[in-house]
Structure formats: structure tokens, C-alpha cells
């Protein structure tokens, strides 16, 4: 294997757009600002993921050259190992484990020796490969620092106590019981062991990259670096490298939707979307439709077929061909009555481009971390509608700490949010005087995000520290190779 002249980063993204997108943006940063060579390894959820599909996933025209190399690891069928009772985290962990041999052989066959391995939350079992190949190893948390603190703290609780109330993380905002990740206090939940394991394995990395920035979570970042109790669980460097968000590609938003958006008044349209996996029940879909109609506000709603009792349903269910029948799930006559008010888009929309349009004035969001950041960088206030994973924490962070969001009294994870409450949240965020503070606060946060990203910003400084370590590794790799040659 040849030691390259510049650092070569191998980034492994686990399934789901929420994991792939930050890895792609991380790759772009390494390449554009730090002259790295990057290979992204992607895990395929389907047997035949062809290059055309690949370009759809990345939301870019075919034949557009990318800056990084993209390798789709050949499909491994783990279905026999997955028990129907397994929850989302366990399912992902089992799927990912199946790809360790193929990543090893890909790394072995690479022409240029990678200097650095970056995995995300579900890839921590791959960190041993970095030792095998003499690489620096990092975990990239596609979420916030508060969630990182919870994840590294939970293994401590595992050894000490079983909780029934809020979770106290040293030096950090406490996590209320309803916001705690489902498996944390339920050892019978199949996800419990995997979550504890991930918390322990993060500690084996040389450092953690987290998709936040200093101004957004100063207290938590300080505690992650300085709190004695937390440092006993995790004593490595924490690099806030955010906000890593997909840049707007104007060519992705075109045709009728763009024309319609261009005709709407400034900040008058509510965008409604539940990410790549979020799914509502039939009853909740009906209530949301009524709430939108009753609010009399303009909207764009990315709608997918309802699934009962599985709020992350779209992550694991193929919904191909269902876009034709989407109206079946809406109240009778809804599309006709709201024809001039809004647009229903089946399945998937060009979200970053929509959120960046000046007509957008609010986002009803499941609070996946990418969606949350996309809202912040565009200065769009949020109606928080968390559904699964760490989304309850993200929602609380946005409502209580950052003060750019509102949420329903009825938790969407527990019951059905009524049309009346939906209507009142929409009017508050979009037009009511009561929403004024939130609307102006989010513009302030937007400016902080811009500041973090500029060349003198703290995010850039974090990247520089990180890349220095990689350059040192490259020098040591070269030294090792020279001494082998000289022997
Ligand atoms: N996304 C999109 N169009 C959609 C739904 C989602 O482009 O219709 C993108 C969205 O912009 C975000 C990502 O998919 O970048 C979803 O990530 P997030 O962390 O918000 O949620 P997850 O899908 O992981 O739950």
C-alpha cells in the first residue's frame, strides 16, 4: 500500500439520510478547506443499489463529479439475525456488524493508505479496523453535544443505579424522563445493551466530532471537556464541527414548486416534514390535515403513507409506488379545498432548498438533527414534533435552551395531537404576536451559525486542530514506511 502525499480520510456512513448527509458535508470540508483525499463508504440497505440510485440519494444530477470517492459496500443480508422484537438501534447495529469484513477488505485493497477513519454512532464497532490499519480514529456524532453527553454518561449509570426519574448528567442540563432515549432505563428493551456498548466504544476513539458549534451549546461543551466526572467516562478531544448542513443546490428546486414558492409572500409558508424515517398514524395524519386547513396558513407538506405504531416506519419500509395513492390518507376533499393554500408532496422533497426559500416562515419538523440545523441556518422557527431516537432531546433543546421553537402539550410520542392544538401552534409560529420573540431569536441564531462557519470562526479552529493530528499521523506513517524500506 502506498502512503499518500496528503491525508486520506475513510468515512463510514450508516444507513439513513440523517447519517449520510453529515458525512458528505464532513468530506467536503476536509477536501475543500484542508486538502484531504476522502473516500466515503456507504452501507446499502437494498440488494441492488445502482449508481443511478446513488445519485438520487445524493440529490444531484448524474455525471456531476463529486470531490470524494464513494464506495457502496456490497449488500449483506442480516435479516436472519434480526428478531422482529428488535428495536431500531439493535436492528441498525446488527446490519452494520455484517459489513465489518467488507470494509476491512476495501481498506486492504486501497491504493492509498487511509490516515483517518471516521464512523458515526452506529459504526463504533468498526474502530478496531483503524488499529489494524494504523489510522487515527474518530466518531462523528450526527447530533448535538447534549446527546453526546447522555451517550457517554449512560454506561456509568449502568454500573451504578437504575433510574426512574430525570437523568442527571454532570455539568449538563438534566434530561427529563420523557426526553430520555427510549432504551436507557429499560434493560429489557433490546436497544439497551447496544446503547451502553456505543457509549463505551466512543471512549476508544481518538476524539469525537459533533455537529454543533461553540455558541449553540457552550455549557455542555465546557462540561464535556472539563467536568471531572464526565472526563472519567470520556477523556478525549471534542471537536464541534457544525453546523454541517447540505448546501443549497438551486437546480434541485425547480418547476411548479419553485414557481409557486416565488409567488408567495415573504415568510408566509409553513414547511411540514418528518425527515427520512418519521411516520404518523392514520388518525394523526387526518388531524394534521385538519389543523393545516383550519390555520388558513400557506403550507408545503411532505406526506407519506401512515403506519400504525411505528413512528420510524419509513426507515425500514420501502414505500415505492405509494406516491400515487397518497390522497387516500387525507380527509375527503382536502386537496381541493386547500388547492390555493398549499402543496402536498408525496414522500420526499428538496428540503434544504425549500427551507432556504424566502417564502418559508416556519417548519413543522420531527426535529431530526439535520432538519433542526437546516432550520437554524435559514433562520426558520420550528414547531417541534419529535417522533423517535434523540428527537425529544433535540426538541427540548430548541424550545427551552435555544428558544427558537414551540411544541405541543400532547407529546406526539404518546398520543394524538389535536387539530385545534395544531392550528394554534401554526398561527403562533407564523403570524401571532406571541410568536414574535421566537421569530426574531431564530434570526439571531442564524447569525451565530454563520459566524461559526466563517474562516476565523471556532468551527474552523476545531477543524484545524483535528487535521493537524491527521497530518502528524501521516508523517508517522511515512516514517514507518521509510524504516521498513531501509531495513
Ligand atoms: N430530507 C430531504 N427531503 C425530505 C426529507 C428529508 O431532503 O423530504 C433530508 C433533510 O434535509 C435532512 C435529512 O434528509 O438533511 C434528514 O435528516 P434528519 O437528521 O433531519 O432526520 P432523520 O431522517 O435522520 O430522522
Amino acid at each position: 500500500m502506498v502512503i499518500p502525499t496528503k491525508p486520506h480520510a475513510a468515512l463510514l456512513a450508516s444507513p439513513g439520510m440523517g447519517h449520510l448527509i453529515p458525512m458528505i458535508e464532513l468530506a467536503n470540508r476536509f477536501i475543500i478547506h484542508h486538502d484531504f483525499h476522502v473516500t466515503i463508504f456507504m452501507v446499502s440497505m437494498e440488494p441492488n443499489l445502482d449508481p443511478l440510485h446513488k445519485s438520487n440519494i445524493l440529490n444531484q444530477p448524474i455525471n456531476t463529479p463529486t470531490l470524494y470517492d464513494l464506495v457502496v459496500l456490497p449488500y449483506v443480508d442480516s435479516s436472519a439475525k434480526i428478531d422482529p422484537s428488535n428495536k431500531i438501534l439493535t436492528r441498525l447495529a446488527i446490519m452494520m456488524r455484517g459489513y465489518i469484513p467488507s470494509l476491512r477488505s476495501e481498506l486492504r485493497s486501497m491504493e492509498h493508505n487511509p490516515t483517518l477513519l471516521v464512523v458515526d454512532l452506529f459504526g463504533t464497532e468498526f474502530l478496531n479496523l483503524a488499529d489494524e490499519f494504523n489510522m487515527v480514529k474518530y466518531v462523528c456524532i450526527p447530533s448535538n453535544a447534549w446527546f453526546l453527553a447522555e451517550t457517554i454518561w449512560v454506561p456509568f449509570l449502568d454500573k451504578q443505579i437504575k433510574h426512574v426519574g430525570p437523568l442527571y448528567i454532570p455539568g449538563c442540563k438534566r434530561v427529563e424522563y420523557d426526553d430520555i432515549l427510549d432504551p436507557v432505563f429499560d434493560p429489557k428493551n433490546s436497544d439497551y445493551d447496544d446503547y451502553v456498548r456505543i457509549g463505551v466504544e466512543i471512549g476508544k476513539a481518538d476524539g469525537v466530532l459533533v455537529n454543533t458549534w461553540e455558541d449553540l451549546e457552550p455549557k455542555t461543551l465546557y462540561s464535556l471537556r472539563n467536568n471531572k466526572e464526565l472526563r472519567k467516562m470520556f477523556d478525549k478531544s471534542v471537536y464541534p464541527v457544525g453546523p454541517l448542513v447540505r448546501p443549497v443546490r438551486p437546480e434541485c428546486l425547480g418547476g411548479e414548486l419553485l414557481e409557486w414558492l416565488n409567488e408567495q409572500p415573504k415568510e408566509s409558508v409553513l414547511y411540514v416534514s418528518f425527515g427520512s424515517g418519521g411516520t404518523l398514524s392514520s388518525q394523526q395524519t387526518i388531524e394534521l390535515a385538519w389543523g393545516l386547513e383550519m390555520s388558513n396558513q400557506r403550507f408545503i407538506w411532505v406526506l407519506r403513507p401512515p403506519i400504525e405504531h411505528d413512528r420510524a416506519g419509513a426507515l425500514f419500509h420501502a414505500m415505492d409506488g405509494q406516491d400515487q395513492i397518497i390522497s387516500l390518507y387525507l380527509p375527503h376533499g382536502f386537496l381541493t379545498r386547500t388547492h390555493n393554500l398549499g402543496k402536498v408532496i408525496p414522500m420526499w422533497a428538496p428540503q434544504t432548498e425549500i427551507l432556504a426559500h424566502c417564502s418559508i416562515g416556519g417548519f413543522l419538523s420531527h426535529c431530526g438533527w439535520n432538519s433542526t440545523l437546516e432550520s437554524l441556518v435559514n433562520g426558520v422557527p420550528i414547531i417541534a414534533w419529535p417522533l423517535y431516537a434523540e428527537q425529544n432531546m433535540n426538541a427540548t433543546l430548541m424550545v427551552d435552551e435555544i428558544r427558537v421553537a414551540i411544541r405541543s402539550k400532547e407529546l406526539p410520542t404518546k398520543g394524538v395531537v389535536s387539530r385545534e392544538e395544531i392550528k394554534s401552534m401554526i398561527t403562533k409560529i407564523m403570524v401571532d404576536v406571541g410568536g414574535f420573540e421566537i421569530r426574531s431569536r431564530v434570526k439571531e441564531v442564524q447569525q451565530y451559525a454563520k459566524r461559526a462557519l466563517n474562516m476565523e470562526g471556532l468551527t474552523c479552529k476545531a477543524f484545524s486542530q483535528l487535521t493537524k493530528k491527521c497530518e502528524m499521523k501521516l508523517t508517522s506513517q511515512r516514517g514507518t514506511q521509510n524504516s521498513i524500506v531501509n531495513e
Side-chain angles (χ1 to χ4, degrees):
M1 207 184 296
V2 181
I3 303 293
T5 47
K6 55 184 180 182
H8 177 191
L11 313 188
L12 173 68
S14 53
M17 291 304 282
H19 304 133
L20 181 60
I21 287 167
M23 279 301 187
I24 291 175
E25 292 321 314
L26 187 63
N28 288 335
R29 277 213 141 231
F30 273 134
I31 296 165
I32 296 166
H33 297 289
H34 302 281
D35 195 28
F36 273 44
H37 174 192
V38 177
T39 306
I40 299 182
F41 293 95
M42 201 182 138
V43 167
S44 153
M45 296 264 273
E46 297 151 45
N48 301 310
L49 192 69
D50 60 23
L52 178 69
H53 191 152
K54 233 162 46 177
S55 75
N56 278 347
I57 285 173
L58 305 180
N59 212 354
Q60 63 190 28
I62 311 162
N63 299 333
T64 305
T66 46
L67 299 170
Y68 46 82
D69 297 329
L70 181 66
V71 177
V72 180
L73 297 175
Y75 178 66
V76 177
D77 185 0
S78 312
S79 51
K81 296 182 182 145
I82 298 177
D83 185 278
S85 69
N86 287 152
K87 300 266 187 313
I88 177 170
L89 213 151
T90 307
R91 278 198 252 173
L92 281 171
I94 293 171
M95 282 169 59
M96 289 296 282
R97 209 163 286 144
Y99 288 91
I100 294 177
S102 40
L103 183 61
R104 177 182 288 115
S105 59
E106 286 288 344
L107 291 173
R108 193 170 285 142
S109 66
M110 293 190 107
E111 197 188 334
H112 294 293
N113 193 0
T115 323
L116 151 82
L117 178 68
V118 183
V119 299
D120 61 34
L121 208 59
F122 300 101
T124 52
E125 284 180 283
F126 289 74
L127 289 173
N128 290 338
L129 292 181
D131 298 332
E132 282 178 38
F133 290 90
N134 188 23
M135 299 155 81
V136 200
K137 50 189 180 194
Y138 291 106
V139 178
C140 180
I141 304 290
S143 188
N144 53 72
W146 192 32
F147 172 68
L148 167 64
E150 182 192 85
T151 307
I152 58 174
W153 187 241
V154 161
F156 170 81
L157 295 178
D158 187 48
K159 295 196 187 101
Q160 301 290 317
I161 34 169
K162 294 278 171 267
H163 259 266
V164 284
L167 170 59
Y168 294 93
I169 308 169
C172 303
K173 176 179 164 62
R174 72 177 194 189
V175 190
E176 296 302 336
Y177 189 73
D178 283 332
D179 290 351
I180 297 167
L181 214 64
D182 281 350
V184 172
F185 294 133
D186 180 8
K188 288 191 243 83
N189 182 324
S190 75
D191 281 355
Y192 178 82
D193 289 341
D194 279 306
Y195 190 53
V196 171
R197 172 184 57 74
I198 289 169
V200 172
E201 285 172 352
I202 288 175
K204 295 182 188 158
D206 294 317
V208 173
L209 285 51
V210 53
N211 197 0
T212 190
W213 66 97
E214 297 283 350
D215 288 342
L216 195 73
E217 300 184 84
K219 182 175 157 197
T220 310
L221 286 168
Y222 179 86
S223 298
L224 279 165
R225 290 170 180 142
N226 300 296
N227 183 287
K228 278 194 187 132
E229 283 177 275
L230 264 188
R231 294 301 285 171
K232 277 186 212 151
M233 302 303 292
F234 178 79
D235 61 358
K236 308 290 173 43
S237 305
V238 179
Y239 302 97
V241 293
L244 288 172
V245 290
R246 210 155 33 130
V248 173
R249 294 170 206 262
E251 69 276 12
C252 294
L253 179 64
E256 211 195 314
L257 184 62
L258 178 62
E259 273 172 34
W260 183 81
L261 271 169
N262 285 344
E263 284 161 12
Q264 309 311 312
K266 192 167 178 262
E267 297 179 1
S268 69
V269 179
L270 177 78
Y271 174 64
V272 183
S273 170
F274 301 97
S276 54
T279 337
L280 304 184
S281 66
S282 311
Q283 196 191 349
Q284 187 63 84
T285 305
I286 299 276
E287 287 305 300
L288 178 53
W290 278 115
L292 282 167
E293 189 176 342
M294 284 158 52
S295 76
N296 209 25
Q297 298 299 310
R298 295 171 178 84
F299 66 85
I300 294 175
W301 181 7
V302 185
L303 178 62
R304 25 183 102 96
I307 298 178
E308 307 306 316
H309 313 298
D310 190 356
R311 295 185 300 274
L315 265 188
F316 296 104
H317 292 83
M319 290 183 168
D320 297 350
Q322 299 237 25
D323 43 344
Q324 303 305 322
I325 53 164
I326 217 86
S327 59
L328 295 180
Y329 308 109
L330 294 167
H332 184 66
F334 173 84
L335 290 176
T336 317
R337 289 192 304 276
T338 58
H339 182 68
N340 291 326
L341 200 61
K343 295 266 169 221
V344 174
I345 302 180
M347 316 303 269
W348 191 261
Q351 177 164 307
T352 34
E353 291 72 24
I354 291 175
L355 283 171
H357 196 281
C358 60
S359 298
I360 298 297
F363 183 10
L364 192 157
S365 169
H366 74 314
C367 287
W369 191 244
N370 293 294
S371 296
T372 305
L373 292 182
E374 287 158 15
S375 216
L376 296 184
V377 299
N378 287 298
V380 176
I382 302 169
I383 298 175
W385 192 293
L387 292 171
Y388 60 94
E390 92 297 8
Q391 293 156 15
N392 270 316
M393 286 180 83
N394 302 345
T396 297
L397 190 65
M398 290 303 118
V399 175
D400 295 354
E401 294 277 296
I402 318 294
R403 304 187 318 279
V404 293
I406 55 171
R407 68 193 301 178
S408 54
K409 286 194 192 73
E410 178 70 72
L411 291 182
T413 43
K414 296 220 159 140
V416 175
V417 185
S418 72
R419 59 190 75 177
E420 289 78 16
E421 193 173 9
I422 295 168
K423 174 199 160 208
S424 101
M425 288 193 295
I426 296 175
T427 46
K428 177 164 183 185
I429 208 88
M430 299 298 293
V431 284
D432 283 358
V433 182
F436 175 80
E437 248 177 62
I438 288 174
R439 291 192 289 272
S440 45
R441 167 76 184 146
V442 75
K443 302 283 184 227
E444 218 179 299
V445 176
Q446 180 185 23
Q447 293 313 314
Y448 296 151
K450 277 193 189 146
R451 203 171 61 193
L453 286 178
N454 75 30
M455 289 316 281
E456 282 79 45
L458 292 171
T459 289
C460 283
K461 287 201 177 121
F463 260 106
S464 299
Q465 289 166 0
L466 174 67
T467 52
K468 248 180 222 139
K469 288 205 178 160
C470 300
E471 275 147 17
M472 278 159 64
K473 182 57 144 189
L474 185 62
T475 311
S476 91
Q477 283 177 335
R478 281 210 204 97
T480 314
Q481 197 182 48
N482 287 343
S483 63
I484 292 170
V485 171
N486 291 338
E487 269 169 20

